[in-house]
Amino acid sequence: MTDLLRFRTDAAHEEPAVSLDAFVEGQANASAVRLEAGDDARVLIPYLDRIMLVEIGFPKFRDGRGYSSARILREAGYTGELRAAGDVLVDQIDFMRRCGFDAFAPDAPIDEAVLTRSLERYDYHYQPAADAIVPVWKLRHG
Amino acid sequence: MYKYDQYDQSIVDARVDEFRDQARRRLAGEITEDQFKPLRLKNGLYLQLHAYMLRVAIPYGTLDSRQMRKLAYIARTYDRGYGHFTTRQNIQYNWIKLEEAPDILADLATVEMHAIQTSGESIRNVSSDQYAGASADEIADPRPWAELIRQATTFHPEFSYLPRKFKIAVIASAEDRAAMRLHDIGLRLVANDAGDLGFEVYVGGGMGRTPFIAPLIRAFLPVDHLFSYCEAVLRVWNRTARRDNIHKQRVKILVHQMGAEAFAAAVEAEWQEILPNKSDVPRAEFDRIAAYFTPPAFEAGDREPDRADPDFAVWLDQNVKPHKHPGYAIVNISLKPIGGIPGDASADQIDLMADLAERHSFDELRVTHAQNIVLPHVRKADLYTIWQALVDAGLAESNLDLISDIIACPGLDYCSLANARSIPVAQKIATRFAGRQRDLGELKLKISGCINACGHHHAGHIGILGVDKKGTENYQLLLGGSGAEDASLGKITGPGFSEDGIVDAIERVTDQYIAVRQDGERFLDTYRRVGMDGFKEAIYG
């Protein structure tokens, strides 16, 4: 595990994350939950006001289920830390940010220079997502 | 035709810069081949048997002469002087160097083209009807919707690491010229009783090793909700598809396993969740896009061409189709010369087709899923001039939809996945049947060199599947497929054949067809009437 990469100004949440099963089966007071790629993020929706960290596991970088999980949580109003953990590569972070991830715990170090350039590269995006970016169609029509 | 504004151009330019950086990091060894592979595939760059192959997107198969000339330039500059038009209305180059790929993308960007999402586990280039905007049977031009989908699915952040590839087709007529129901999402524009436009939504079609014809999951989707509904389909699939077996991850497998009704219900439920996001593209933006597809300024007058030249008359009857505007016609340019490589065109031929489009077709060309080129808006008075130019360029084969108009994948001559060669089989069949193809009538023959079915063999009236049988190439024969509005999947006749044996077997099939056909029956009609039993004895004795 390498350094945590955060795009939040609050302090990192230190409580260890419990699994979704553990959370559902009695640890519903936990404030940090880890979702595996195949877990149903919607199970957490009733509890989002008291969760401070959701960590979503990426077993392989090609497994894109976590992108949908992230958006579902953000669309449900979750504002706490949303962390992508595991096989997370530099070329994915831009899309992950757009889906609502604001923290990254990659297995291998991320090249910061490449990342900075990657996050600044695209001035425009075609679709709205879980971030504040205004889609191109809105720019075209005011 | 659609033209980029500053936003479209900025996005494509940024993509060139991004891929240049990714290629640089790969060449410098900063990322592994395993990590680079999905990045290059998302940009259409495959590693084939002999070299890299680059697939360039031709959105919904529409392009202008400036873009077509750039494709010729790329063929000359970076490849061996030719390109290969594909079954998804794109073009691919087979002899590309990784070091030069970023420069090719930069060249493409100067003419509003790219290779974004032409491969990999992404939402692929959207396909459509090659006669869009020209055919009398459409209720509206489907291309503005296709362009809207192109933009909305480009770099979609949630759907860029999908379980598998994902293909969308949009048509707007009863006749299906785009194999719409063999796509992951097939959309057909229709009007309801009130006269409002909407889409029939078909989900879960596809070829490959497990072919399915997409079932209808929604009979009428109001057009304004096109994108949010597609997002719902994608999200249901992205969340629930298997991830443990690459051969079972396409949406067609999920739809089949859940059943169309349960899948449709899951999509409806997800759609209700997604609607509040307001991701649908507003009508004003659709109108902006649609304005680029306003019909050209057709001239009045209708003069039939002089049919005195018998070869010209044959070409007219076979390759030229009626246009919605009197005085005009749709010209199909066959890329299937007898004995040639299906879908290939030389740089000079590509330039010539660009010239003809500029002079005679309001600067427009189309690529068809059958790997031919269309000049969509030609004055009937210009047809003879065009035909003469095509004859001189070796592009005047009068074989549209005949047995030598073969769809074939690149096969073992190029492809690292193939089990057998496709091109030599196509060449032998075309050569054998060229003399009597007009008597055989409409007969769509499609060849794949492996079970991945890039040559659409499941959808051929006659399909051929190349397999590896104990180290030698062997060809299975299928009958009865169709990718049109009467979509059906072909059935295997029985034991396979050698390379020459398959050509003989097809001769026995066509002889049997001629012996038993009734008045006006196409091969496919006869097959459907008499069934496999009506052919089996003729094939195997």
Side-chain angles (χ1 to χ4, degrees):
Chain A
M1 183 69 70
T2 59
D3 289 348
L4 184 63
L5 194 64
R6 281 180 104 245
F7 294 82
R8 296 177 67 92
T9 51
D10 58 352
H13 192 67
E14 299 297 344
E15 186 188 327
V18 302
S19 72
L20 181 63
D21 282 352
F23 183 82
V24 171
E25 290 162 12
Q27 295 188 49
N29 289 326
S31 61
V33 186
R34 177 180 166 92
L35 297 179
E36 301 306 332
D39 285 343
D40 181 4
R42 289 208 165 97
V43 173
L44 291 181
I45 288 177
Y47 314 101
L48 290 180
D49 54 350
R50 65 176 119 106
I51 295 174
M52 297 176 72
L53 167 67
V54 176
E55 179 178 289
I56 298 179
F58 285 82
K60 290 180 290 190
F61 72 89
R62 288 162 174 257
D63 187 332
R65 288 176 285 186
Y67 295 79
S68 287
S69 302
R71 277 197 75 173
I72 284 168
L73 293 174
R74 290 301 188 207
E75 285 161 13
Y78 176 63
T79 56
E81 180 171 332
L82 192 49
R83 187 184 294 175
D87 193 10
V88 174
L89 305 178
V90 64
D91 291 285
Q92 300 181 289
I93 289 182
D94 187 29
F95 286 160
M96 286 182 166
R97 294 278 295 126
R98 296 218 64 210
C99 288
F101 286 106
D102 52 15
F104 301 88
D107 287 343
I110 298 280
D111 183 323
E112 293 222 4
V114 174
L115 176 63
T116 304
R117 214 170 140 203
S118 144
L119 293 177
E120 290 170 351
R121 182 170 282 123
Y122 287 92
D123 291 332
Y124 304 110
H125 297 79
Y126 282 121
Q127 11 4 51
D131 53 7
I133 283 171
V134 177
V136 161
W137 52 256
K138 203 168 256 180
L139 297 174
R140 283 172 175 148
H141 299 280
Chain B
M1 250 188 75
Y2 187 70
K3 297 281 177 228
Y4 282 7
D5 65 5
Q6 83 228 48
Y7 303 111
D8 301 301
Q9 191 65 50
S10 167
I11 288 168
V12 167
D13 289 343
R15 179 58 182 142
V16 175
D17 181 65
E18 181 176 41
F19 189 74
R20 198 180 285 286
D21 185 54
Q22 290 170 344
R24 177 194 63 74
R25 282 185 279 138
R26 174 67 198 122
L27 290 164
E30 291 173 27
I31 50 177
T32 66
E33 178 55 25
D34 189 43
Q35 292 169 340
F36 182 57
K37 187 176 173 188
L39 301 179
R40 64 170 163 76
L41 286 179
K42 282 177 200 308
N43 215 58
L45 196 64
Y46 284 75
L47 188 54
Q48 296 287 51
L49 282 177
H50 312 292
Y52 282 98
M53 179 273 274
L54 179 69
R55 183 180 295 148
V56 175
I58 300 174
Y60 34 93
T62 295
L63 74 174
D64 64 19
S65 63
R66 188 177 61 123
Q67 294 172 321
M68 191 75 162
R69 287 194 188 100
K70 187 62 79 179
L71 298 180
Y73 169 83
I74 288 166
R76 274 192 201 99
T77 311
Y78 302 102
D79 201 282
R80 298 186 175 177
Y82 58 93
H84 178 74
F85 290 93
T86 77
T87 57
R88 298 211 68 257
Q89 301 176 290
N90 295 319
I91 186 170
Q92 56 196 43
Y93 298 100
N94 283 312
W95 303 96
I96 297 301
K97 296 185 186 72
L98 174 58
E99 296 82 341
E100 293 182 340
D103 295 334
I104 302 176
L105 299 183
D107 283 333
L108 289 169
T110 65
V111 294
E112 304 174 17
M113 294 185 86
H114 59 74
I116 294 164
Q117 293 169 205
T118 53
S119 174
E121 321 305 12
S122 52
I123 306 171
R124 302 288 186 88
N125 184 33
V126 58
S127 58
S128 189
D129 184 342
Q130 66 269 21
Y131 296 167
S135 177
D137 65 349
E138 68 184 15
I139 66 164
D141 190 331
R143 290 172 303 160
W145 300 107
E147 173 60 27
L148 186 150
I149 294 169
R150 181 193 77 81
Q151 296 187 24
T153 58
T154 294
F155 303 135
H156 194 293
E158 184 180 344
F159 305 126
S160 289
Y161 287 86
L162 292 166
R164 284 290 274 126
K165 57 188 167 185
F166 197 85
K167 302 170 179 179
I168 303 175
V170 196
I171 65 170
S173 55
E175 194 178 329
D176 179 2
R177 291 172 283 261
M180 177 271 286
R181 290 185 68 190
L182 291 162
H183 285 73
D184 295 286
I185 294 182
L187 298 162
R188 191 164 81 89
L189 191 65
V190 293
N192 66 9
D193 293 341
D196 299 322
L197 289 178
F199 289 100
E200 289 176 352
V201 183
Y202 298 84
V203 178
M207 290 189 249
R209 62 187 68 203
T210 321
F212 287 106
I213 293 164
L216 182 71
I217 69 154
R218 202 172 208 280
F220 190 84
L221 173 70
V223 286
D224 289 331
H225 290 305
L226 173 60
F227 185 56
S228 60
Y229 194 82
C230 288
E231 280 189 305
V233 170
L234 279 150
R235 184 179 279 180
V236 166
W237 173 55
N238 190 42
R239 296 187 75 214
T240 49
R242 290 174 62 166
R243 297 266 179 174
D244 62 339
N245 180 340
I246 194 172
H247 303 306
K248 298 195 183 302
Q249 293 175 192
R250 292 280 297 271
V251 73
K252 64 189 176 184
I253 305 287
L254 184 66
V255 172
H256 177 69
Q257 285 171 346
M258 288 178 75
E261 221 167 285
F263 181 82
V267 170
E268 289 292 323
E270 189 64 56
W271 188 39
Q272 295 307 316
E273 301 281 346
I274 282 177
L275 274 173
N277 298 344
K278 300 193 185 306
S279 56
D280 275 311
V281 179
R283 184 59 71 96
E285 172 63 359
F286 173 79
D287 291 343
R288 185 193 72 87
I289 293 171
Y292 288 104
F293 296 92
T294 316
F298 295 118
E299 294 170 20
D302 184 5
R303 194 163 59 88
E304 291 303 318
D306 180 354
R307 298 173 56 93
D309 184 329
D311 290 338
F312 172 61
V314 168
W315 179 80
L316 269 185
D317 292 339
Q318 199 64 50
N319 286 28
V320 178
K321 299 292 170 186
H323 193 280
K324 66 162 81 169
H325 195 88
Y328 284 79
I330 301 170
V331 168
N332 286 275
I333 302 174
S334 171
L335 299 184
K336 318 291 176 64
I338 304 303
I341 296 174
D344 270 18
S346 71
D348 290 346
Q349 289 175 323
I350 294 172
D351 273 338
L352 175 96
M353 292 187 278
D355 291 346
L356 292 175
E358 187 174 32
R359 252 178 267 147
H360 301 292
S361 185
F362 294 97
D363 206 28
E364 256 194 73
L365 303 116
R366 311 285 173 78
V367 183
T368 83
H369 90 273
Q371 304 180 277
N372 293 314
I373 301 293
V374 164
L375 302 176
H377 309 298
V378 173
R379 274 198 324 155
K380 287 179 186 168
D382 297 339
L383 286 168
Y384 191 66
T385 308
I386 288 174
W387 176 74
Q388 286 176 309
L390 292 174
V391 169
D392 291 343
L395 288 168
E397 199 67 54
S398 302
N399 62 350
L400 186 75
D401 295 337
L402 301 181
I403 191 171
S404 66
D405 184 10
I406 296 169
I407 290 180
C409 72
L412 199 51
D413 290 296
Y414 293 101
C415 180
S416 53
L417 300 173
N419 298 121
R421 289 168 300 152
S422 305
I423 294 167
V425 175
Q427 291 168 323
K428 283 184 180 177
I429 291 168
T431 306
R432 172 87 62 99
F433 294 94
R436 69 192 116 130
Q437 58 180 345
R438 230 161 298 288
D439 177 44
L440 293 171
E442 181 185 305
L443 210 175
K444 298 185 182 180
L445 193 144
K446 311 189 185 199
I447 308 174
S448 304
C450 80
I451 50 174
N452 291 312
C454 297
H456 293 193
H457 65 274
H458 300 296
H461 299 175
I462 295 178
I464 296 173
L465 167 62
V467 295
D468 176 274
K469 195 177 174 190
K470 295 176 188 148
T472 55
E473 293 161 278
N474 189 267
Y475 295 90
Q476 294 181 344
L477 180 61
L478 296 87
L479 301 179
S482 169
E485 60 282 0
D486 59 352
S488 58
L489 300 172
K491 288 196 173 62
I492 295 177
T493 56
F497 304 90
S498 68
E499 185 178 321
D500 288 322
I502 188 74
V503 186
D504 295 336
I506 289 167
E507 181 149 19
R508 295 194 291 277
V509 167
T510 51
D511 285 350
Q512 176 68 4
Y513 158 63
I514 287 170
V516 302
R517 71 180 167 190
Q518 295 175 353
D519 283 351
E521 268 186 348
R522 301 172 300 163
F523 171 82
L524 185 63
D525 304 324
T526 302
Y527 173 81
R528 285 177 174 169
R529 179 172 55 79
V530 306
M532 186 64 86
D533 287 346
F535 283 93
K536 206 147 185 177
E537 200 182 323
I539 300 169
Y540 294 103

